[in-house]
Amino acid sequence: MSDPKPDCILAEESDNHWVKLILWSNEDPVRPAHRWNGFMKYLVEEIRALLVSLKVTDARRLRLMKDWGVDSEQFERASPLSGDELEHAKKLFPFDTNFSQLFPNITIDNLIFRKELSFVGAIFAGTISFKNCCFERRVNFFDANFERGAVFSGSEFLEAVNFAGAQFRIAALFDRVTFCGQISFYWSKNDRILDVSFRDAHFLNFIPRFHGRNFHPGSDFHGVTWPDIPKRNGHKKTQDTIEDALLEQITSYEYIRTQAEHIGQLELRKEMIRRELACRAELAEPSFERYLRKAYGWICDHGTSIGRPALALLCIWGFTFAAWRGWAAQEAAVTTWDVLYHTGGRMLPFVGGHAYVEEHTLKALRAAPHVLHFLSAMAAILSPFLLFLMALALRLKFRMSV
């Protein structure tokens, strides 16, 4: 059994100096990231000064700067804090803090944030950890820079969270994260590699938007819970909202499907195909096409289920066999094996059950009531379609398509 999550406390009650810095930064109603980035710039300058004082070689200094995440050009463009702001930020940390040795690896775990947070354009020099946190309001990481690692494992976002334009230099971890609101990883250009792990994550109401991102082959989507497919309920206003939601989901599923195919994650691709087709079946106007799409979903789960068409095939054969067996019980010339050969042969295309039946028995079978022949004809018509659907699902399951 996995260890239970530790109890969370309110961010305002935490004595974590990084949390205090976040809350103070978000008190700025115009540029919340200005205070955060200004203090990060100060730390980077202190660390760089420390490296100069160590009198190491240039190559060694550059290597250490890269390892510590303080070599980014983003810090050069950040605006410094004013004297009063810097003094206030320093007071958020313990009195004896040596800022030249305060490496910007940040741990902010097991906290509840009840206020809306903005990290627009924020720079995170080192690894930042938000494990098992609960964000009750919107969180905006638009255009943020995660220079090292970003860990959000086990956290909950109760409202929208925005990572559009955010740069992840190293794989970001969203394992077991619960997303209740809208999620965006949108990138304005189609050249940004996204390396993330969503293992066992829960997307309760919305599909994340990844447009403009190219998935890294190491991205992990195992065990993801996707939102339910919206259903029509007959109310015009609600229907319009549902149609918009279905169209948005279709767009997202199509994009994830193409990315999954590109990196060779065929299980994810299959799931996206299934969900996309389910959305299209729900979106279709009442017509023969809608009923056909619905039937396709019921019978074979949109081409991904082997068991459903196999069960349908078995049920059709079982019903036909039972009907013929009930009639054969009154016919001395027809045995149970004869019925088995006859009904089984009709279920397999290009195979005739009469090949295993004696001539006198075949005459008795031909004299059976028309309703039994009708059942056999329907079984012979339906069985090729069901076998085809089974073959389609088998092809997907055993990777016989790319």
Side-chain angles (χ1 to χ4, degrees):
M1 294 180 63
S2 60
D3 295 332
K5 289 185 178 180
D7 293 334
C8 295
I9 64 172
L10 291 176
E12 291 79 3
E13 298 175 358
S14 173
D15 58 358
N16 186 317
H17 41 268
W18 295 112
V19 176
K20 294 178 182 178
L21 183 62
I22 288 175
L23 297 178
W24 175 66
S25 298
N26 275 265
E27 290 176 3
D28 187 334
V30 180
R31 296 184 302 164
H34 164 71
R35 292 177 172 179
W36 177 271
N37 290 347
F39 190 73
M40 289 293 108
K41 182 181 180 72
Y42 165 73
L43 290 182
V44 167
E45 290 174 348
E46 290 293 302
I47 294 172
R48 288 176 177 176
L50 173 64
L51 290 175
V52 171
S53 67
L54 294 177
K55 297 181 179 180
V56 296
T57 63
D58 291 343
R60 175 62 174 167
R61 184 171 66 256
L62 291 175
R63 179 64 182 176
L64 289 173
M65 288 174 59
K66 184 176 181 180
D67 291 342
W68 295 345
V70 297
D71 63 334
S72 175
E73 295 180 357
Q74 299 292 334
F75 295 111
E76 304 297 334
R77 294 193 289 267
S79 301
L81 293 177
S82 66
D84 291 340
E85 288 177 324
L86 182 57
E87 288 302 317
H88 182 84
K90 287 182 178 180
K91 291 179 181 178
L92 300 175
F93 291 77
F95 177 75
D96 57 347
T97 299
N98 185 343
F99 291 100
S100 64
Q101 297 182 6
L102 185 65
F103 301 114
N105 291 325
I106 303 168
T107 300
I108 304 173
D109 298 341
N110 310 315
L111 293 179
I112 300 173
F113 293 91
R114 289 187 172 175
K115 296 181 179 180
E116 185 171 324
L117 298 178
S118 175
F119 297 95
V120 175
I123 307 171
F124 301 98
T127 301
I128 183 165
S129 172
F130 283 103
K131 287 184 181 179
N132 301 320
C133 289
C134 178
F135 299 90
E136 296 186 352
R137 301 292 301 277
R138 295 172 60 91
V139 187
N140 193 351
F141 287 97
F142 176 79
D143 210 22
N145 288 274
F146 297 91
E147 298 294 333
R148 302 300 294 169
V151 182
F152 294 88
S153 300
S155 293
E156 294 180 274
F157 293 92
L158 302 187
E159 292 192 8
V161 55
N162 184 16
F163 288 96
Q167 299 187 55
F168 299 93
R169 309 290 183 183
I170 297 178
L173 302 183
F174 293 90
D175 299 338
R176 304 180 311 282
V177 171
T178 299
F179 297 94
C180 299
Q182 292 182 325
I183 318 101
S184 177
F185 289 87
Y186 175 80
W187 184 259
S188 58
K189 302 176 183 178
N190 195 32
D191 60 354
R192 174 57 61 180
I193 300 296
L194 182 64
D195 187 2
V196 290
S197 174
F198 289 103
R199 181 178 287 268
D200 297 323
H202 298 268
F203 299 102
L204 298 186
N205 301 301
F206 297 90
I207 305 299
R209 295 190 64 206
F210 295 106
H211 293 78
R213 304 276 191 172
N214 294 322
F215 288 1
H216 188 279
S219 296
D220 190 349
F221 288 86
H222 288 95
V224 169
T225 300
W226 303 98
D228 295 333
I229 304 299
K231 303 294 183 182
R232 295 176 181 268
N233 58 13
H235 300 293
K236 181 68 173 92
K237 182 179 290 188
T238 307
Q239 274 193 4
D240 292 341
T241 303
I242 291 174
E243 286 183 4
D244 291 341
L246 286 168
L247 288 171
E248 184 176 347
Q249 287 200 13
I250 289 173
T251 301
S252 296
Y253 288 138
E254 285 179 333
Y255 190 83
I256 298 173
R257 171 177 57 80
T258 57
Q259 289 297 313
E261 184 172 0
H262 178 69
I263 63 176
Q265 293 195 10
L266 299 186
E267 280 297 326
L268 178 61
R269 172 182 176 269
K270 182 177 75 172
E271 178 64 13
M272 294 301 101
I273 291 174
R274 186 187 71 81
R275 299 186 70 83
E276 177 189 338
L277 291 176
C279 287
R280 293 189 183 280
E282 199 64 38
L283 187 62
E285 295 294 334
S287 62
F288 176 74
E289 178 190 355
R290 177 179 172 83
Y291 297 129
L292 191 62
R293 286 181 176 274
K294 285 284 189 179
Y296 185 56
W298 293 331
I299 295 173
C300 66
D301 202 11
H302 302 284
T304 61
S305 174
I306 302 172
R308 289 189 187 184
L311 180 62
L313 196 66
L314 182 63
C315 289
I316 292 173
W317 173 79
F319 182 77
T320 306
F321 175 81
W324 276 93
R325 183 66 186 87
W327 167 80
Q330 305 172 8
E331 299 290 330
V334 182
T335 67
T336 300
W337 286 109
D338 295 330
V339 174
L340 180 64
Y341 293 147
H342 177 68
T343 56
R346 299 306 297 270
M347 298 296 294
L348 299 175
F350 312 114
V351 176
H354 62 275
Y356 306 98
V357 179
E358 299 293 338
E359 184 64 28
H360 66 280
T361 304
L362 185 60
K363 291 180 180 179
L365 291 173
R366 288 171 177 169
H370 292 299
V371 65
L372 295 180
H373 289 292
F374 175 78
L375 289 176
S376 294
M378 292 303 298
I381 293 172
L382 292 175
S383 61
F385 291 102
L386 295 173
L387 290 170
F388 169 76
L389 294 177
M390 289 174 63
L392 183 64
L394 282 167
R395 186 185 67 172
L396 286 174
K397 182 175 180 63
F398 292 103
R399 311 291 195 275
M400 289 184 283
S401 67
V402 295

